[in-house]
Amino acid sequence: MTPMSELRAAAEIPVSRRSAPLTWVVVALACAGQFLVVLDVSVVNVALPSMRTDLGLSAPGLQWVVNAYAIAFAGFLLLGGRAGDLYGRKRMFLVGLALFTLASLGGGLAQAEWQLLTARAVQGLGAAVLAPSTLTILTSAVPEGAARARAIATWTAVGAGGGAAGGLVGGLLVDGLSWRWVLLINVPVGAVVLAGALRWLVESRAGDGRRLDLPGALLVTAGLATLAYGIVQTEADGWSSAATLVPLSSGAALIGLFLLVEARTKAPLMPLKLFRLRAVSSANVAMFVFGSATFCMWFFMTLYAQNVLGYSPLEAGLALAPSALAVVLGSKAAPRFMPVVGARNVAVLGALVAAVGFGWQSTLSADGSYLTAIMLPGLLIMLGSGLAMTPLAALATSGAEAADAGLVSGLVNTSRTMGGSLGLSVMSTVAAARTGGGTSAEALTEGYGLVFRTSAGVLLGGAVLMAVWLPRRVGARA
């Protein structure tokens, strides 16, 4: 065995003597963890009015029910990914899921605003530790190639389906039980997944004896959390206010300082050499751009269905259910095309299909029909999303060494999360500028239409970027 092959073999050391579990069991557990993380981003939105009535939440408190989770999640993703590499992927999966489940119980039983907000922040922390481990466990269990592409497709479909199902699940729970069950439902599901992970997952970690880069961890966590805080502040204060500009500039400065520290550290949290890998850098930029354009679709289509067409929360969730099926179809179809035409071309095709869907959706009217204003364009958008996200995730995780698998998985989730958060804030500003403060159905429709045209333009630009920068096939390290 050559020294290089010995090094690579040592990078991924299983530390459990238990026989390897069935691959489908590992994939199922990883996908279940990812489903919980993504579902919780969207399921709470439907319950916000009921939370406000029951707990007497203030207007800022209502906003922070969402923001506390989002900021903690975005801030700790990279740290959670590296912790899995150093301390064990199974261990971090269990720690993250346990935190998430206990925080869900605390939030569901909350009797005061501060209790709910604390629980949501701890949920976000648990999700940030859990999410990178789900993808790393999956890619470690399935060898690179067609089988891994199919597994990543399932992970992508389940994650996207969790986001899509949030409105429907939230509507059913709020209407049938109470707002508390949008959080409490995580407890029995989390307990079952925890039991399965304890029984079937095999531990693995990077085996090179590195310690956690504490200065880098503190800087990147503070920087990402501060950036996320600045982004969410734009909704209330706009882009030009001090409340927005100060955290945005501070977050950017902290990230810059983090990069300087990493360039001088012997065992960095984020080896900057990763960005010299074409697959890692290009796929993460593409993931950021794609997320910034598509994440807003669920938000604005829900608003259009309720504020313009007069749907109830449950009806709005049901209206978007076909789109959830479309993203599953696109995610599962992508691995079939990737060996034939290449991962890059499948990602470009997905971006173009989604752009056509957004272009169609931008023609919506104040008296639009469900079929042509919501269902059919939504199907195209989510079909394209499934086609694109699977090859992007496969490319991003194929370019790095096994010892950096958790970190790369955290980077993928960070790119998608930060892109989605920034895109939603920008698109909210775009919609508000077009409506000019108007609240009529016609004014709101014009604002939503401009958002969808903007998303279509971003996706067309993203398709060009992918075509010229992404490697053609998975496994390219150039």
Side-chain angles (χ1 to χ4, degrees):
M1 183 179 288
T2 66
M4 181 59 70
S5 60
E6 289 176 354
L7 179 61
R8 290 182 180 178
E12 189 83 5
I13 296 179
V15 295
S16 172
R17 296 185 178 180
R18 181 181 300 156
S19 60
L22 294 173
T23 301
W24 72 266
V25 175
V26 176
V27 173
L29 289 169
C31 289
Q34 179 70 0
F35 181 82
L36 284 174
V37 169
V38 179
L39 178 72
D40 213 70
V41 175
S42 57
V43 72
V44 171
N45 292 333
V46 176
L48 291 177
S50 299
M51 290 178 178
R52 183 172 191 173
T53 301
D54 191 20
L55 296 181
L57 297 180
S58 61
L62 196 67
Q63 181 182 1
W64 278 97
V65 172
V66 177
N67 292 345
Y69 181 95
I71 292 172
F73 183 52
F76 285 92
L77 267 171
L78 283 182
L79 180 57
R82 179 51 95 197
D85 289 333
L86 300 184
Y87 305 126
R89 284 73 182 259
K90 175 182 176 179
R91 179 178 297 172
M92 289 301 103
F93 184 95
L94 295 173
V95 168
L97 184 55
L99 273 176
F100 184 87
T101 303
L102 290 173
S104 298
L105 177 62
L109 299 177
Q111 300 298 314
E113 180 176 309
W114 70 268
Q115 295 172 349
L116 179 60
L117 297 185
T118 301
R120 289 289 288 165
V122 177
Q123 264 191 313
L125 173 60
V129 175
L130 172 62
S133 297
T134 65
L135 184 55
T136 311
I137 287 170
L138 185 148
T139 55
S140 298
V142 184
E144 194 167 293
R148 181 182 291 183
R150 289 192 296 270
I152 291 176
T154 302
W155 179 85
T156 303
V158 168
L168 176 59
V169 172
L172 288 171
L173 291 173
V174 172
D175 287 352
L177 296 169
S178 77
W179 68 264
R180 297 183 181 277
W181 279 96
V182 303
L183 299 173
L184 292 177
I185 192 65
N186 295 326
V187 177
V189 177
V192 170
V193 178
L194 270 172
L198 281 168
R199 172 65 180 84
W200 284 299
L201 291 186
V202 176
E203 185 62 282
S204 67
R205 65 169 66 99
D208 53 7
R210 285 181 296 177
R211 294 184 178 181
L212 182 65
D213 170 23
L214 187 58
L218 293 175
L219 284 170
V220 74
T221 300
L224 288 173
T226 305
L227 276 177
Y229 175 79
I231 290 171
V232 300
Q233 283 296 102
T234 61
E235 184 176 347
D237 300 302
W239 288 89
S240 59
S241 69
T244 298
L245 292 176
V246 170
L248 285 178
S249 58
S250 300
L254 287 169
I255 295 298
L257 185 58
F258 163 71
L259 295 176
L260 289 175
V261 169
E262 297 304 277
R264 292 167 170 78
T265 301
K266 293 183 178 179
L269 175 76
M270 169 65 77
L272 299 185
K273 65 180 181 180
L274 284 176
F275 294 107
R276 293 197 294 268
L277 299 173
R278 180 179 172 189
V280 173
S281 56
S282 61
N284 274 282
V285 171
M287 189 79 76
F288 181 92
V289 172
F290 204 91
S292 69
T294 58
F295 183 77
C296 66
M297 180 267 194
W298 302 108
F299 179 77
F300 286 105
M301 284 312 301
T302 301
L303 292 180
Y304 172 71
Q306 295 186 62
N307 296 341
V308 177
L309 301 184
Y311 288 18
S312 69
L314 179 57
E315 288 171 338
L318 288 170
L320 294 174
S323 299
L325 298 178
V327 76
V328 173
L329 177 62
S331 298
K332 300 302 287 183
R336 298 180 181 273
F337 295 123
M338 287 164 60
V340 180
V341 301
R344 177 183 63 198
N345 292 334
V346 176
V348 171
L349 174 63
L352 293 175
V353 171
V356 171
F358 272 116
W360 185 353
Q361 204 162 50
S362 70
T363 64
L364 77 178
S365 63
D367 56 352
S369 69
Y370 166 68
L371 189 65
T372 58
I374 296 179
M375 180 179 169
L376 293 179
L379 287 175
L380 285 178
I381 293 170
M382 288 298 105
L383 178 65
S385 296
L387 284 172
M389 298 298 273
T390 296
L392 289 178
L395 285 167
T397 55
S398 70
E401 301 291 345
D404 295 319
L407 177 62
V408 172
S409 299
L411 187 60
V412 170
N413 280 283
T414 301
S415 299
R416 183 170 57 181
T417 301
M418 296 300 287
S421 298
L422 180 62
L424 181 57
S425 296
V426 171
M427 296 303 179
S428 297
T429 303
V430 168
R434 185 55 179 256
T435 58
T439 57
S440 66
E442 290 75 14
L444 293 175
T445 301
E446 288 184 8
Y448 302 152
L450 181 58
V451 164
F452 297 138
R453 284 192 292 276
T454 304
S455 290
V458 172
L459 285 174
L460 290 175
V464 174
L465 178 71
M466 294 180 209
V468 300
W469 193 9
L470 287 176
R472 177 175 170 78
R473 296 191 180 277
V474 172
R477 294 174 181 263

